[in-house]
Amino acid sequence: FATYPQWNHLLSNVESSLKPGGAFNFSIALDGKVLHRQSTLIAAIPNAELRWSGPRDPALRPLFSGNHYLKLFELDRTTTYVDHGETFSGLLLPALWPMLGSKLLRHYVKMNAELKGYVEEKA
């Protein structure tokens, strides 16, 4: 997580023990606003998957929740496919999605390009 600022404009201040069921806390920068989020780590499999779900507070999940993932698939010795996405649910999703959906997609596309550039530069 210490290298995130070198390639990730979206997520910062990531803190986690990397133990499933434990906290996965981070800040997310969306169009000039920084939001601090407390989530639960679902999976941390080295060289394979990072997945978290939030909010951490179970009372808030029925209203709006997200399950975010990054999966890595080694295609050959020099090529890795990254599957990055998030699924959302909750009672507030229909009201929030029109303003959130396209904004998140734009940021996720940029984040993916930043990760690609960072990895290719390091190779």
Side-chain angles (χ1 to χ4, degrees):
F1 302 127
T3 64
Y4 270 34
Q6 296 174 29
W7 64 268
N8 192 331
H9 80 284
L10 190 59
L11 297 180
S12 63
N13 303 316
V14 179
E15 296 177 1
S16 177
S17 66
L18 293 178
K19 291 184 171 58
F24 188 87
N25 302 324
F26 59 94
S27 298
I28 184 168
L30 286 174
D31 299 334
K33 296 178 186 173
V34 177
L35 308 170
H36 306 286
R37 295 291 174 248
Q38 295 180 336
S39 300
T40 301
L41 185 72
I42 305 301
I45 304 166
N47 301 315
E49 180 178 13
L50 181 63
R51 178 184 298 266
W52 63 91
S53 181
R56 189 158 175 81
D57 184 343
L60 298 175
R61 287 188 211 133
L63 298 176
F64 185 77
S65 66
N67 186 335
H68 197 110
Y69 61 89
L70 291 154
K71 295 180 182 179
L72 305 176
F73 299 93
E74 184 179 336
L75 302 180
D76 59 45
R77 289 182 44 92
T78 63
T79 308
T80 300
Y81 175 78
V82 178
D83 181 10
H84 171 212
E86 187 162 16
T87 57
F88 294 98
S89 62
L91 296 171
L92 296 178
L93 182 59
L96 295 174
W97 191 250
M99 68 176 183
L100 190 60
S102 62
K103 182 183 295 191
L104 280 177
L105 179 60
R106 183 176 74 248
H107 284 285
Y108 288 168
V109 167
K110 182 178 178 184
M111 184 179 124
N112 292 343
E114 291 168 338
L115 176 58
K116 181 179 188 293
Y118 178 79
V119 170
E120 288 175 348
E121 181 181 300
K122 293 292 178 185

